């Protein structure tokens, strides 16, 4: 993949397009995307760098489009390039509940200066996106835990041996070396 970003590599082509679109956005856009996705900024760098083979997960596209303020034409171009690279991937939201999302309207006082209104609007949007990403992460963790609990119930009657308990390290004030008093 270290070669060019032409038609020979459709993944590199859509990643180049994504990188160019994000590079035209205000400073901090990559950080906001990383924060909202619950990822490190290096993840955003990898999914926007054509030199890396890491594909852009389809489930992240709606959030990237929203935080990057992509125009309908930019979204259309990116989705066309993405579909060339991944014709079998669904671009539907990862969670069907997102289709039935609740819209929330917040009124910003007209008495504020336009610059302050814009700053306040951006801060509220960023907070909401971060809170939603965190709630989705919690939901995914809880779903995984429920699935694991169901699997553990099946294993009790079957083949898998129980896990050994985790060893605890001494906390503050506890012995750190053999022979050391508490």
């Amino acid at each position: 993949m270290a070669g060019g970003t032409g038609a020979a590599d459709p993944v590199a082509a859509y990643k180049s397009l994504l990188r160019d679109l994000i590079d035209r956005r205000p400073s901090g856009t990559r950080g906001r995307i990383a924060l909202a996705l619950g990822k490190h900024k290096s993840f955003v760098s990898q999914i926007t760098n054509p030199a890396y083979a890491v594909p852009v997960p389809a489930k992240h596209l709606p959030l990237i489009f929203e935080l990057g303020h992509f125009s309908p034409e930019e979204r259309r171009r990116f989705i066309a390039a993405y579909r060339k690279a991944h014709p079998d991937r669904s671009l539907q939201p990862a969670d069907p509940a997102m289709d039935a999302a609740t819209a929330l309207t917040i009124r910003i006082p007209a008495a504020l200066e336009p610059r302050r209104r814009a700053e306040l609007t951006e801060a509220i949007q960023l907070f909401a996106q971060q809170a939603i990403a965190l709630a989705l992460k919690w939901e995914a963790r809880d779903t995984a835990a429920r699935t694991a609990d169901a699997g553990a119930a099946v294993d009790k009657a079957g083949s898998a041996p129980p896990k050994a308990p985790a060893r605890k390290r001494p906390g503050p004030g506890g012995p750190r070396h053999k022979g050391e008093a508490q």
Side-chain angles (χ1 to χ4, degrees), residues 83-98:
R83 284 199 170 129
K84 274 186 185 174
H86 307 293
D88 298 331
R89 285 200 189 162
S90 170
L91 293 180
Q92 300 301 319
D95 183 0
M98 291 301 285

Side-chain angles (χ1 to χ4, degrees), residues 128-142:
Q129 290 160 350
Q130 292 169 356
I132 291 166
L134 185 59
L136 290 172
K137 190 181 245 183
W138 288 339
E139 189 67 25
R141 184 193 64 209
D142 292 348

Side-chain angles (χ1 to χ4, degrees), residues 11-152:
V11 173
Y14 81 71
K15 290 176 81 169
S16 293
L17 177 60
L18 180 61
R19 180 194 56 207
D20 294 345
L21 291 170
I22 290 178
D23 284 349
R24 290 196 302 251
R25 298 318 189 249
S27 175
T29 299
R30 288 176 193 268
R32 284 191 291 277
I33 290 171
L35 194 58
L37 293 175
K39 305 285 185 186
H40 194 273
K41 279 174 41 174
S42 65
F43 173 77
V44 177
S45 295
Q46 288 178 9
I47 64 172
T48 59
N49 187 337
Y52 290 104
V54 178
V56 178
K59 67 182 181 180
H60 296 326
L61 293 178
L63 189 61
I64 291 170
F65 292 162
E66 184 179 334
L67 289 174
H69 303 287
F70 287 18
S71 71
E73 173 59 23
E74 291 169 334
R75 291 176 191 218
R76 187 195 61 70
R77 282 189 8 231
F78 179 82
I79 288 172
Y82 190 89
R83 284 199 170 129
K84 274 186 185 174
H86 307 293
D88 298 331
R89 285 200 189 162
S90 170
L91 293 180
Q92 300 301 319
D95 183 0
M98 291 301 285
D99 288 340
T102 302
L104 180 65
T105 302
I106 299 175
R107 298 189 188 280
I108 308 292
L112 294 176
E113 295 177 25
R115 181 180 57 82
R116 290 236 166 88
R117 287 176 59 119
E119 289 172 352
L120 180 59
T121 300
E122 184 177 344
I124 290 170
Q125 287 174 333
L126 180 60
F127 175 78
Q129 290 160 350
Q130 292 169 356
I132 291 166
L134 185 59
L136 290 172
K137 190 181 245 183
W138 288 339
E139 189 67 25
R141 184 193 64 209
D142 292 348
T143 301
R146 284 192 298 271
T147 303
D149 289 345

